[in-house]
Amino acid sequence: MSEPLELLDPEAIAKQVRLEVDRALKRNIKGLDFLVAERAEVGHMPKDALYRDGTAVLYRYRPLHGEIYRIPLLVVSPPSNRGYIFDLAKGQSFFEYLLQQGYDVYNLDWNPPRRDERGLGFDDYVGRFIPAALKEIEARTGEREISLAGYCAGGTLVTIYAAIEAREHLRNLITLATPIDFSHMHLFQTWADKRYFDVDLLVRELELIPPEIMLGAFDLARPANRTAGRVNLWTNMWNDEFVKSYRMFDRWAAETLPIPGHYFGQLVKDLMWENALTNGTLEVCGKTADLGRVTASILNIVAKHDHVVSHEATTPLMTMTSSTDREELVSKGGHVSLVAGPSAVRRLWPHIDEWLGRRST
């Protein structure tokens, strides 16, 4: 229960009033600046493009130390999103943190597909782009062993790769908010209900699936999320650090990429409708993806408040693989803040370093 007004320190009251007035003035002044500001700068750490093949581009982030861990790390981005979510800004960059700890970091990222790339599918992402990236890394480092990591659909792709290749030199597999059992992707099951969702018509007519299609599905989960986000922005407009972070995340969401129609059709029909990866019926490059073939050490990272990928959707990594070294980590945060939020900076990244460092020598 709050104290009666007459019992409060007048100086404390005056200080609080001055604070609120100051924030109100800053909101209005900075609100105008926000409206006319250029796009937020993103991408902090220097990097070099090593390989390009259509929509795929492989980057190496320049090491910060002369001595680095022996086993390189390749992080695969979701095909619908830019990889700079891992490198937003100084102090908010997962890759900066990894480089500071001495890892050799690579990122398989994506450019918007051209219309003539509408036929790209799992055979290309899993059987062409990932192997080509690994071949380039091996040629440059001389190391056959590799650590693979992936976020969201990027994690699904690296898991499929591990499930068809059974490569002994796949040392570690790190998955972040990664769907495997699509029967537990409840929002998307409803959104893509096969009784009403004519995916073939969509693919045939559009060829490249625009980002608005995917973003619309996310909005179904939290219809008021964008409005609430803008209200929260206005409330914190006086806070430069909050506004800076908001603008970077906002840019990343706004730059969601279109995806090839064939790939989208496989996501819906093979994974969403047939749950083929979990059921053991998914075929990629003429091979059946078998989760039991995965023997690498696994770190499965789940977001506690993820409204996109449920905890249950990730569990086959812990129950159906043949790895004898499996760890699951449930971290605070949501689907995006898992990889770039304050909780990730303080808690998750050090845990990843502790886990991966022991397995990278």
Side-chain angles (χ1 to χ4, degrees):
M1 185 174 179
S2 61
E3 294 183 74
L5 189 60
E6 61 271 15
L7 296 182
L8 295 175
D9 180 5
E11 181 58 32
I13 295 174
K15 183 178 179 180
Q16 185 62 36
V17 170
R18 288 195 298 269
L19 177 63
E20 291 303 324
V21 169
D22 181 60
R23 289 181 176 179
L25 290 171
K26 287 181 178 178
R27 284 192 197 103
N28 284 274
I29 295 170
K30 294 177 180 293
L32 292 173
D33 292 340
F34 180 85
L35 291 174
V36 299
E38 297 181 356
R39 292 190 310 172
E41 291 187 12
V42 291
H44 167 58
M45 303 304 295
K47 62 186 178 182
D48 301 294
L50 305 183
Y51 152 83
R52 295 181 187 272
D53 182 4
T55 186
V57 54
L58 173 67
Y59 294 107
R60 186 197 189 194
Y61 282 77
R62 296 176 190 172
L64 296 179
H65 303 291
E67 291 188 13
I68 55 178
Y69 280 105
R70 179 178 66 85
I71 298 177
L73 169 67
L74 172 61
V75 180
V76 178
S77 304
S80 60
N81 294 103
R82 300 279 191 179
Y84 65 72
I85 189 65
F86 303 111
D87 183 37
L88 284 177
K90 184 176 179 60
Q92 289 183 274
S93 168
F94 180 43
F95 286 165
E96 176 188 40
Y97 178 83
L98 291 173
L99 293 166
Q100 288 172 341
Q101 310 315 309
Y103 294 97
D104 191 9
V105 180
Y106 299 79
N107 177 215
L108 184 56
D109 202 7
W110 315 102
N111 291 315
R114 305 183 306 267
R115 193 158 296 278
D116 63 355
E117 293 177 312
R118 60 189 178 276
L120 294 176
F122 289 154
D123 283 2
D124 299 284
Y125 287 99
V126 174
R128 175 177 153 200
F129 298 136
I130 291 178
L134 295 178
K135 184 177 180 181
E136 180 69 26
I137 294 170
E138 183 178 342
R140 288 178 175 269
T141 64
E143 291 294 338
R144 282 185 53 77
E145 289 191 298
I146 190 80
S147 295
L148 265 179
Y151 166 53
C152 192
T156 306
L157 292 177
V158 297
T159 301
I160 294 172
Y161 174 80
I164 66 170
E165 287 299 327
R167 289 166 55 125
E168 291 183 359
H169 55 281
L170 176 54
R171 178 81 170 270
N172 305 303
L173 180 64
I174 301 175
T175 53
L176 299 105
T178 293
I180 303 296
D181 185 348
F182 282 77
S183 69
H184 290 287
M185 296 286 284
H186 303 298
L187 164 67
F188 287 91
Q189 286 290 344
T190 302
W191 175 73
D193 191 321
K194 65 194 311 182
R195 295 173 297 175
Y196 315 110
F197 193 76
D198 193 339
V199 64
D200 291 326
L201 174 64
L202 196 63
V203 169
R204 185 170 62 250
E205 293 297 321
L206 296 180
E207 298 184 335
L208 297 176
I209 306 303
E212 291 77 14
I213 297 290
M214 299 301 294
L215 290 173
F218 292 124
D219 286 344
L220 286 174
R222 294 185 174 179
N225 200 47
R226 293 195 191 190
T227 301
R230 292 190 178 99
V231 170
N232 198 30
L233 170 65
W234 175 250
T235 302
N236 291 278
M237 189 65 75
W238 57 273
N239 186 331
D240 289 341
E241 286 302 313
F242 182 93
V243 173
K244 178 183 176 182
S245 182
Y246 179 95
R247 292 183 66 233
M248 289 187 295
F249 279 105
D250 189 58
R251 174 177 173 177
W252 181 74
E255 291 184 348
T256 298
L257 302 175
I259 56 177
H262 182 53
Y263 168 74
F264 178 76
Q266 289 181 304
L267 283 176
V268 173
K269 292 193 284 188
D270 292 344
L271 298 187
M272 198 69 63
W273 292 352
E274 302 299 327
N275 202 18
L277 179 55
T278 301
N279 292 337
T281 57
L282 180 67
E283 289 197 4
V284 178
C285 299
K287 302 176 182 178
T288 300
D290 179 6
L291 291 172
R293 196 178 278 133
V294 181
T295 58
S297 297
I298 296 173
L299 177 61
N300 180 40
I301 302 169
V302 182
K304 186 175 183 179
H305 304 293
D306 195 332
H307 69 291
V308 178
V309 179
S310 70
H311 189 166
E312 293 80 5
T314 74
T315 52
L317 288 160
M318 307 304 295
T319 59
M320 297 182 64
T321 56
S322 296
S323 173
T324 57
D325 179 19
R326 297 181 294 204
E327 182 177 335
E328 181 176 86
L329 174 62
V330 179
S331 181
K332 289 184 178 180
H335 189 71
V336 178
S337 62
L338 180 72
V339 293
S343 180
V345 176
R346 293 192 303 269
R347 299 185 184 92
L348 179 58
W349 296 354
H351 190 105
I352 293 175
D353 172 43
E354 180 185 358
W355 186 91
L356 186 59
R358 298 197 305 268
R359 297 165 175 83
S360 295
T361 57

